[in-house]
Amino acid sequence: MSTTHPMAPAFSALTETQLHTIEDLLANDESSSDEELIEFFISEGIPEVSARQALTYRDRYLTTIYLDGHTPIRLERDAWRYDPYSRRFVPA
């Protein structure tokens, strides 16, 4: 049985909408620069510290499909990724 680990302090005060925005852009926006993403996150009310911390996850989100709600930002040590060989989600 796995125990959940709380999210990093930089993300714990964010709303569900803000977390979704961060994860959506990290997973899907390949063309914006890091600074453009930071500016956008800040314009959405996300603190700069959280925006900069989110970018440290960018490569992971661009290359891996995570189970909704079990992502590195939400559950760092209990993230689940899609394994194309077994065609199911497995611990990351």
Side-chain angles (χ1 to χ4, degrees):
M1 180 172 162
S2 111
T3 56
T4 59
H5 299 279
M7 68 179 69
F11 307 118
S12 61
L14 299 181
T15 67
E16 182 61 31
T17 300
Q18 290 170 324
L19 289 169
H20 178 75
T21 297
I22 288 171
E23 291 184 319
D24 182 52
L25 287 175
L26 291 179
N28 297 303
D29 187 337
E30 297 177 32
S31 59
S32 295
S33 71
D34 288 352
E35 286 305 314
E36 288 171 324
L37 282 180
I38 288 170
E39 287 177 25
F40 180 78
F41 291 154
I42 291 170
S43 76
E44 293 293 305
I46 297 166
E48 184 175 352
V49 169
S50 300
R52 291 192 181 282
Q53 180 71 27
L55 285 183
T56 66
Y57 294 86
R58 190 174 191 183
D59 288 342
R60 291 168 68 183
Y61 276 82
L62 283 173
T63 59
T64 306
I65 298 170
Y66 293 102
L67 181 62
D68 189 32
H70 295 274
T71 59
I73 284 179
R74 294 169 190 266
L75 299 169
E76 177 68 38
R77 293 186 206 127
D78 289 324
W80 285 68
R81 66 171 180 78
Y82 183 73
D83 176 16
Y85 301 107
S86 66
R87 296 183 183 172
R88 61 189 184 110
F89 286 94
V90 297

